[in-house]
Structures are given as structure tokens and as C-alpha cells.
Amino acid sequence: MYQIIWNQPIELDLVTGDVRTVKGPSDALACLADHWPRRGPSYVAARSACRAAIDGRRTVEEARSLFISAAREAELKAH
């Protein structure tokens, strides 16, 4: 199966102390589902954008940007 990836992966520092590399919308959806400490409006927007990017309704870079916004909202360091 073909996986859509971002131009630049995101290293995300999780609350557990682990660092996770998020390479694209599919990785982001898994991370949002399994490792997210706080689910606010940016979380919902990122989840929706990642699904839309996978379906071709939004760009992968839009999804990346919204994922970073959700990380900030959850007070997670994304680099």
C-alpha cells in the first residue's frame, strides 16, 4: 500500500519521554489516536485534515501544519 508522506518528518516529544517520528498523515492519525494527552479544537482539525489528505481532499502539507498546531495545543514539542 502506498503511504503519503510529508516533505519533512516531524519529531514529536511525547509525555512519556519517548520521541516519535511522524512521517505523514497516516502516522499522524495513529499518534493522535494513541498518544495524545489533550484533545481540543486543533486536535479535531488535525485529525480531520489528515483524513482529508489521505483521501486527496486536502494537501499533505496542510495536514502537517494542522498537526503541528495540535501538538502546540497539547503542549507537545514538535521539531
Side-chain angles (χ1 to χ4, degrees):
M1 182 176 146
Y2 173 73
Q3 183 177 6
I4 301 166
I5 59 171
W6 292 324
N7 289 332
Q8 183 176 357
I10 298 168
E11 296 289 324
L12 189 66
D13 296 342
L14 302 174
V15 294
T16 59
D18 295 329
V19 176
R20 180 170 177 148
T21 301
V22 182
K23 297 179 182 179
S26 294
D27 285 347
L29 283 173
C31 190
L32 288 163
D34 298 336
H35 301 289
W36 224 249
R38 188 174 311 128
R39 297 178 179 192
S42 292
Y43 166 89
V44 174
R47 191 178 58 189
S48 176
C50 287
R51 288 179 179 148
I54 291 167
D55 292 342
R57 294 179 284 116
R58 289 191 87 158
T59 70
V60 292
E61 295 308 316
E62 286 175 311
R64 184 181 188 279
S65 177
L66 288 166
F67 180 77
I68 291 170
S69 293
R72 286 189 193 119
E73 175 185 71
E75 299 179 4
L76 298 173
K77 184 177 179 188
H79 47 95

